[in-house]
Amino acid sequence: MRALETSDRELVALMTEAMRLAGAYWTSLDERPSYPSTSGAETARLFDRPWMDEGRGGDVLNDFRAMAEHVRPCTGRFFGYVAGSGEPVGAVGDFLASVLNQNSTSWRSAPAAVTIERAVVGWLADAIGCDGFAGQLCGGGSMANLMALAIARETLSPANEDGARPGVVYASEHVHMSVPKAVALLGLGRSNLRLVPADADFRLRIDALEAAIDSDRRLGKMPLAIVANGGTVATGAVDPLRELADIAAAEGLWLHVDGAFGVPAAMAVPEKFAGLNRANSISLDAHKWLYQPIDCSCLLYRDRDAARKTFSHSGDYVRIFNEDPSETFAFFEESIELTRRFRALKLWMSLQYHGRNAYREAISRDLQHAQRLADAIQALPDLELLAPVPLSAVCFRHRTGNNEAILQRVVARGRVYLSNATIKGDFALRACFVNHRTRPEDVDEIVSEVMAAADEV
Ligand SMILES: Cc1ncc(COP(=O)(O)O)c(C=O)c1O
């Protein structure tokens, strides 16, 4: 046999066993702890291994069994961060995408994959009320935010004599860390990010934004873009999008909505996102609140040509000879990436398999879970809700206990996983619902586990 070749018989055996392991893993999720009881030393002992000269064959699948005990399981009782649930049909799609091994960079290199990605992006735009937006899939919200601000800079900031494109970016003080990172990477300069104060509901204050823009103009600075939160990572606050769109239009600024966490909820509660369709660009993470396996984010933009102007750096090596516009289409002309995964297949399969209503219902259920938890917290004198709950993130604390110790104890008990946030300077316990597996009884365990942990610490 040639090097790297696998016989048909071996391959079938490998796939059959892999599928059996996957099925067993998915059906066992409910019994698994919400976080593995492991340590750095133990995972290093198991997985920090050399690459041997001789292969082990199908024995490698045994490692999967060990891995399954040492990963964060996507159980319906994991409520930390913004951790999507890895919908299984999407995982099957991801496997098949690897089988096809397409480079979704241009129609010529992957006709079906590119056509499917364009279709899926169109469905997502339409689902959130932004019909007609173009866009692309990418690895994550951080990448989507970076590309959005790169397009904003290219479009609105003419290069000065040094070739630099200066500009000030405005965002609420609760903006996700990926935005300061993008501003820094784009060379706009850390001092050109204005973190605008938010109101009591954690929404960007319009009066403060107007004052900041006014002050910058008077100092001779060039306002460039507003980044609005379509669901802040800590509390899910949605900035006043309509007012921000008005300001962006009046001031000639780019409006980007970072909806990596929250924007899928526009399918269920569109009224909370009024004005979204006036944005210039929007990021939306399908690997968060569309339950898809990592990685799968989407950047939408109103003006495809703006994206092209930013990223179209062609080379002879990728020259396209065709004339038909659908056949000359190339994602590499509007993206940082040249070689691109066939991310669209998991979305295609999962969205088509379940249908739009199932997604709308799953998101609505997550919103209800958050309200259920908020109600339970408010019904208990020992607990205190620390922020409004506009979407599916709930921040709260034990009034008298040591909340940091309580959090660690909750995680160690292994029934539910919570993460933390800082709310107006206070340490908060935080639960976020973006998991199609979560049931109401899982939500009820949050309060009982926090109370039990408080008794133990
Ligand atoms: C509001 C928001 N923006 C951006 C991001 C970054 O997304 P990613 O982790 O996919 O890069 C996150 C991640 O949680 C987020 O919640």
Side-chain angles (χ1 to χ4, degrees):
M1 230 164 54
R2 281 167 296 194
L4 289 184
E5 216 170 36
T6 316
S7 74
D8 290 351
R9 199 171 50 81
E10 275 176 326
L11 206 50
V12 167
L14 196 68
M15 279 195 302
T16 308
E17 181 58 4
M19 293 302 152
R20 206 189 58 72
L21 285 172
Y25 179 71
W26 279 321
T27 50
S28 72
L29 279 177
D30 211 26
E31 287 97 59
R32 288 182 179 273
S34 55
Y35 194 75
S37 59
T38 187
S39 66
E42 194 182 357
T43 52
R45 182 180 60 77
L46 286 168
F47 305 115
D48 190 2
R49 296 227 202 118
W51 179 16
M52 309 297 279
D53 284 336
E54 298 305 320
R56 290 162 54 203
D59 177 49
V60 289
L61 278 183
N62 286 321
D63 296 348
F64 180 87
R65 283 180 242 277
M67 282 171 214
E69 306 304 320
H70 294 84
V71 293
R72 164 192 86 79
C74 298
T75 79
R77 287 175 283 101
F78 189 95
F79 305 111
Y81 321 110
V82 192
S85 44
E87 196 279 313
V89 179
V92 172
D94 240 358
F95 168 69
L96 294 176
S98 290
V99 172
L100 291 174
N101 191 32
Q102 294 296 287
N103 183 355
S104 298
T105 196
S106 66
W107 184 89
R108 186 182 46 165
S109 72
V114 163
T115 308
I116 285 172
E117 181 165 338
R118 294 182 73 181
V120 162
V121 165
W123 300 341
L124 296 182
D126 180 57
I128 60 165
C130 295
D131 194 19
F133 276 54
Q136 59 181 281
L137 302 181
C138 59
S142 304
M143 177 62 105
N145 288 340
L146 173 65
M147 287 198 283
L149 286 178
I151 300 170
R153 186 188 60 166
E154 180 75 26
T155 308
L156 293 180
S157 176
N160 61 23
E161 61 269 19
D162 305 327
R165 294 177 178 274
V168 183
V169 175
Y170 303 84
S172 110
E173 59 181 314
H174 301 299
V175 75
H176 187 264
M177 65 184 183
S178 56
V179 172
K181 193 188 272 189
V183 168
L185 287 174
L186 290 169
L188 291 167
R190 281 170 199 270
S191 64
N192 282 330
L193 175 66
R194 300 273 171 277
L195 292 182
V196 178
D199 63 16
D201 289 341
F202 304 88
R203 288 156 46 99
L204 183 146
R205 266 179 40 208
I206 293 293
D207 61 326
L209 173 66
E210 286 173 331
I213 294 173
D214 190 47
S215 151
D216 280 328
R217 287 217 193 276
R218 276 193 275 116
L219 289 170
K221 296 250 184 191
M222 200 197 91
L224 173 66
I226 302 167
V227 177
N229 289 300
T232 60
V233 64
T235 69
V238 180
D239 287 334
L241 302 180
R242 216 170 2 213
E243 289 90 330
L244 293 176
D246 288 341
I247 294 177
E251 297 279 348
L253 307 186
W254 189 273
L255 176 61
H256 173 65
V257 178
D258 176 9
F261 161 29
V263 152
M267 289 177 68
V269 282
E271 66 283 0
K272 297 201 180 205
F273 294 87
L276 180 65
N277 61 358
R278 293 174 59 200
N280 297 93
S281 54
I282 301 165
S283 24
L284 173 175
D285 273 1
H287 61 214
K288 294 188 168 72
W289 214 351
L290 282 177
Y291 314 106
Q292 292 306 301
I294 293 167
D295 60 2
C296 196
S297 180
C298 179
L299 172 64
L300 298 170
Y301 26 86
R302 164 184 302 288
D303 180 1
R304 168 157 270 148
D305 285 342
R308 288 237 169 91
K309 213 167 133 242
T310 310
F311 294 115
S312 181
H313 291 263
S314 211
D316 193 47
Y317 150 79
V318 289
R319 191 140 56 95
I320 292 169
F321 297 97
N322 211 328
E323 291 294 317
D324 179 329
S326 65
E327 296 178 13
T328 53
F329 181 86
F331 276 118
F332 70 75
E333 289 187 326
E334 47 195 89
S335 172
I336 289 181
E337 294 178 329
L338 175 57
T339 298
R340 301 173 70 254
R341 270 162 41 66
F342 187 8
R343 293 187 180 93
L345 184 52
K346 61 184 152 199
L347 271 173
W348 176 274
M349 286 194 52
S350 179
L351 302 188
Q352 289 281 332
Y353 183 99
H354 293 290
R356 208 190 262 220
N357 283 342
Y359 275 89
R360 209 178 280 122
E361 271 168 37
I363 293 168
S364 299
R365 246 192 349 251
D366 283 328
L367 293 166
Q368 286 160 17
H369 291 328
Q371 292 305 323
R372 183 182 182 96
L373 175 59
D375 291 347
I377 290 164
Q378 285 173 309
L380 270 186
D382 283 339
L383 300 182
E384 180 186 7
L385 199 59
L386 290 178
V389 182
L391 296 178
S392 72
V394 183
C395 292
F396 65 107
R397 70 175 169 191
H398 194 281
R399 281 183 200 272
T400 54
N402 173 339
N403 283 281
E404 261 185 77
I406 291 173
L407 178 62
Q408 285 177 34
R409 192 67 212 129
V410 165
V411 170
R413 285 172 60 87
R415 281 302 298 171
V416 301
Y417 188 100
L418 304 177
S419 55
N420 64 287
T422 303
I423 302 294
K424 296 185 179 148
D426 287 327
F427 185 92
L429 307 172
R430 177 178 167 284
C432 184
F433 302 93
V434 287
N435 188 325
H436 69 285
R437 295 192 178 92
T438 300
R439 302 158 303 184
E441 51 271 36
D442 299 320
V443 180
D444 295 343
E445 283 205 51
I446 296 174
V447 162
S448 55
E449 283 297 300
V450 167
M451 297 307 289
D455 283 346
E456 286 174 12
V457 297

